[in-house]
Amino acid sequence: MKQYLVIGLGRFGESVSKTLYDAGANVLGIDVNEELIQDKIDNNILKNAVIGDASDEKILKDIGAENFDIAFVCTADIEASVMITLNLKEFGIRTIIAKAVNKKHGKVLTKVGATEIVYPEEHMGKRIAELTMNKDIIEHLKFNDNFVLVEIKAPHIFWNNSLIKLDVRNKYNINVVGIKKRGGTFLPNPTANIIIEEGDILVVITDKKTVKSFSSLI
C-alpha cells in the first residue's frame, strides 16, 4: 500500500488528509501547530501526525521521508513550501504535489522538484461554475484534457438493475469505480452483480463528451 505524506494542515491540507484517511490510505500529517494537529486527530481527519517544520531536513529524516510514495505540500507560506519541496525531492520522493498561490510560485515549485502543481482557488472557481451548470453532476476531477472522474446521480433507468445487466462499459462508455449508497456507505470497486438503487451516486471514469450525454439520462 502506498504511503502518503501531507505537509500543512490548513483547509487544503485538511481536505487532502480527510480524503486519504476516509479511503483507508496510510497517511501521515505534519504541521508546526500542535493545536491544529490535535483538532484533526480528535475529529477523525487524521490518525497519525507529527508536530514540526518540514522545511527542516531533520524532521523529514526523523519520519523516514524517503519511505513515502507521494507527498502533498499544502502550506500557504511561499518560502517554506519551496524549501519543503526541495527537501522532499532530495529525499527521493517521486511524486510531489504542491499547492501554489500563483503561476510564478508554481514555476518555482516545479523547478525545485514538484511533479504536479495545484491552484486551489482556480480549481474551486471552475468547479463551482461547472457544478452550477449541471446540477446532476455532484463532483468531478480532471485527469487530463479529456478524461475525468465524476460523481453523478444514478439515472432512473439504472434503478433496480445490476451493473452486469446494464452493461455500462459497452452501452454507456463509463467505468463505475465506486458507488455511494443513500445511507452514506461507500462501495469501492463494486462487483458486476451489485444492484443500483434510487438515490445512489455513481463514481465513474469517462470522457467529457460521455459525461454530457450520460447526464441527459437523469
Side-chain angles (χ1 to χ4, degrees), residues 7-9 30-37 50-55:
I7 301 172
L9 299 177
I30 302 180
D31 200 284
V32 296
N33 189 322
E34 181 177 358
E35 293 183 0
L36 195 63
I37 285 179
V50 172
I51 303 167
D53 182 358
S55 63

Tab-separated table of all heavy atoms in Angstrom, residues 7-9 30-37 50-55:
chain	number	residue	atom	x	y	z
A	7	ILE	N	1.832	17.735	4.202
A	7	ILE	CA	2.532	18.775	4.960
A	7	ILE	C	1.728	20.070	4.908
A	7	ILE	O	1.509	20.638	3.845
A	7	ILE	CB	3.941	18.999	4.392
A	7	ILE	CG1	4.739	17.685	4.465
A	7	ILE	CG2	4.650	20.113	5.148
A	7	ILE	CD1	6.070	17.737	3.763
A	8	GLY	N	1.311	20.519	6.080
A	8	GLY	CA	0.468	21.707	6.179
A	8	GLY	C	-0.985	21.290	6.306
A	8	GLY	O	-1.555	20.746	5.361
A	9	LEU	N	-1.578	21.513	7.474
A	9	LEU	CA	-2.927	21.008	7.725
A	9	LEU	C	-3.974	22.112	7.825
A	9	LEU	O	-4.896	22.052	8.641
A	9	LEU	CB	-2.931	20.150	9.004
A	9	LEU	CG	-2.029	18.907	8.946
A	9	LEU	CD1	-2.038	18.179	10.272
A	9	LEU	CD2	-2.480	17.974	7.822
A	30	ILE	N	1.886	16.527	8.810
A	30	ILE	CA	2.901	17.326	9.511
A	30	ILE	C	2.450	18.777	9.538
A	30	ILE	O	2.019	19.330	8.521
A	30	ILE	CB	4.280	17.256	8.815
A	30	ILE	CG1	4.780	15.818	8.723
A	30	ILE	CG2	5.303	18.108	9.570
A	30	ILE	CD1	6.134	15.696	8.042
A	31	ASP	N	2.573	19.403	10.702
A	31	ASP	CA	2.274	20.826	10.824
A	31	ASP	C	3.011	21.366	12.047
A	31	ASP	O	3.283	20.620	12.995
A	31	ASP	CB	0.762	21.064	10.965
A	31	ASP	CG	0.363	22.491	10.620
A	31	ASP	OD1	0.590	23.399	11.444
A	31	ASP	OD2	-0.162	22.697	9.504
A	32	VAL	N	3.303	22.650	12.011
A	32	VAL	CA	4.011	23.281	13.139
A	32	VAL	C	3.063	23.589	14.290
A	32	VAL	O	3.498	23.845	15.413
A	32	VAL	CB	4.717	24.581	12.696
A	32	VAL	CG1	5.804	24.275	11.681
A	32	VAL	CG2	3.714	25.575	12.112
A	33	ASN	N	1.752	23.558	14.016
A	33	ASN	CA	0.747	23.942	15.007
A	33	ASN	C	0.206	22.708	15.737
A	33	ASN	O	-0.517	21.898	15.164
A	33	ASN	CB	-0.399	24.684	14.303
A	33	ASN	CG	-1.371	25.312	15.285
A	33	ASN	OD1	-1.684	24.752	16.325
A	33	ASN	ND2	-1.855	26.502	14.941
A	34	GLU	N	0.565	22.585	17.011
A	34	GLU	CA	0.154	21.422	17.797
A	34	GLU	C	-1.364	21.357	17.960
A	34	GLU	O	-1.963	20.282	17.871
A	34	GLU	CB	0.810	21.468	19.172
A	34	GLU	CG	0.460	20.271	20.054
A	34	GLU	CD	1.174	20.309	21.392
A	34	GLU	OE1	1.969	21.248	21.623
A	34	GLU	OE2	0.938	19.394	22.209
A	35	GLU	N	-2.004	22.497	18.183
A	35	GLU	CA	-3.460	22.528	18.363
A	35	GLU	C	-4.183	22.097	17.089
A	35	GLU	O	-5.208	21.409	17.145
A	35	GLU	CB	-3.917	23.929	18.779
A	35	GLU	CG	-3.447	24.340	20.166
A	35	GLU	CD	-3.971	25.703	20.558
A	35	GLU	OE1	-4.695	26.323	19.740
A	35	GLU	OE2	-3.673	26.157	21.680
A	36	LEU	N	-3.640	22.504	15.956
A	36	LEU	CA	-4.228	22.142	14.670
A	36	LEU	C	-4.169	20.637	14.461
A	36	LEU	O	-5.143	20.014	14.022
A	36	LEU	CB	-3.493	22.867	13.534
A	36	LEU	CG	-4.167	22.894	12.164
A	36	LEU	CD1	-5.491	23.641	12.231
A	36	LEU	CD2	-3.250	23.563	11.142
A	37	ILE	N	-3.043	20.045	14.795
A	37	ILE	CA	-2.884	18.601	14.658
A	37	ILE	C	-3.846	17.857	15.570
A	37	ILE	O	-4.503	16.895	15.162
A	37	ILE	CB	-1.427	18.190	14.971
A	37	ILE	CG1	-0.519	18.576	13.806
A	37	ILE	CG2	-1.332	16.687	15.234
A	37	ILE	CD1	0.931	18.239	14.013
A	50	VAL	N	2.589	14.503	12.985
A	50	VAL	CA	3.816	14.910	13.659
A	50	VAL	C	3.870	16.429	13.740
A	50	VAL	O	3.536	17.121	12.775
A	50	VAL	CB	5.063	14.392	12.891
A	50	VAL	CG1	6.339	14.966	13.480
A	50	VAL	CG2	5.096	12.876	12.905
A	51	ILE	N	4.284	16.939	14.901
A	51	ILE	CA	4.464	18.378	15.063
A	51	ILE	C	5.877	18.727	14.617
A	51	ILE	O	6.855	18.152	15.111
A	51	ILE	CB	4.290	18.798	16.532
A	51	ILE	CG1	2.919	18.361	17.049
A	51	ILE	CG2	4.452	20.309	16.683
A	51	ILE	CD1	2.796	18.453	18.559
A	52	GLY	N	5.997	19.642	13.671
A	52	GLY	CA	7.327	20.017	13.225
A	52	GLY	C	7.314	20.860	11.960
A	52	GLY	O	6.287	20.977	11.290
A	53	ASP	N	8.465	21.425	11.671
A	53	ASP	CA	8.645	22.265	10.489
A	53	ASP	C	9.322	21.434	9.404
A	53	ASP	O	10.506	21.107	9.511
A	53	ASP	CB	9.507	23.478	10.856
A	53	ASP	CG	9.713	24.427	9.685
A	53	ASP	OD1	9.221	24.126	8.580
A	53	ASP	OD2	10.374	25.462	9.878
A	54	ALA	N	8.567	21.077	8.377
A	54	ALA	CA	9.083	20.201	7.322
A	54	ALA	C	10.134	20.863	6.447
A	54	ALA	O	10.745	20.206	5.604
A	54	ALA	CB	7.936	19.685	6.457
A	55	SER	N	10.352	22.171	6.623
A	55	SER	CA	11.433	22.812	5.888
A	55	SER	C	12.779	22.473	6.536
A	55	SER	O	13.844	22.756	5.977
A	55	SER	CB	11.238	24.334	5.845
A	55	SER	OG	11.271	24.895	7.143
